[in-house]
Amino acid sequence: MSRKPDRSVEAISRHADRKKRARDRPGSSPLRGLGTFGMVGWSIAVPTVGGAFLGLWLDRVAPQDFSWPMALILGGVALGSVIAWAWVSREGPDRGGEDQ
């Protein structure tokens, strides 16, 4: 008598391969876009608000002819934009973040 090959090993192997492919190439989803939108927003908001608070403190400690909060808010927006741009370019479709 000949033994039949064990089909469960093949089924488990196929299932594991499908899982690995799905993990390596995640599909596009609305939640992924929402997450990216939130990450970009926080990347800009945190340095901007931080600059405002630092500027208010500097106005009390080291007053100048110019407004520290306005200067540091603009600096925070610029820094946040650079952080967001770097994050989006690193996570973009051509960098393996999402399939096209």
Side-chain angles (χ1 to χ4, degrees):
M1 282 202 321
S2 67
R3 294 183 71 182
K4 291 185 178 180
D6 189 7
R7 298 283 180 186
S8 62
V9 172
E10 293 173 12
I12 292 171
S13 176
R14 280 194 311 267
H15 182 71
D17 288 341
R18 273 196 313 268
K19 267 183 131 171
K20 184 175 179 342
R21 278 194 311 270
R23 199 175 19 242
D24 291 343
R25 292 178 292 199
S28 159
S29 78
L31 292 178
R32 185 174 177 91
L34 192 61
T36 300
F37 184 73
M39 182 63 193
V40 168
W42 281 108
S43 296
I44 295 172
V46 170
T48 302
V49 172
F53 283 125
L54 182 62
L56 289 172
W57 178 76
L58 281 174
D59 259 353
R60 282 185 273 138
V61 174
Q64 294 289 322
D65 292 337
F66 60 90
S67 171
W68 278 110
M70 288 303 294
L72 293 179
I73 285 173
L74 291 174
V77 169
L79 177 65
S81 297
V82 168
I83 291 170
W85 175 73
W87 188 84
V88 168
S89 67
R90 185 179 64 231
E91 295 292 324
D94 57 336
R95 300 286 185 176
E98 184 177 328
D99 286 341
Q100 290 180 353

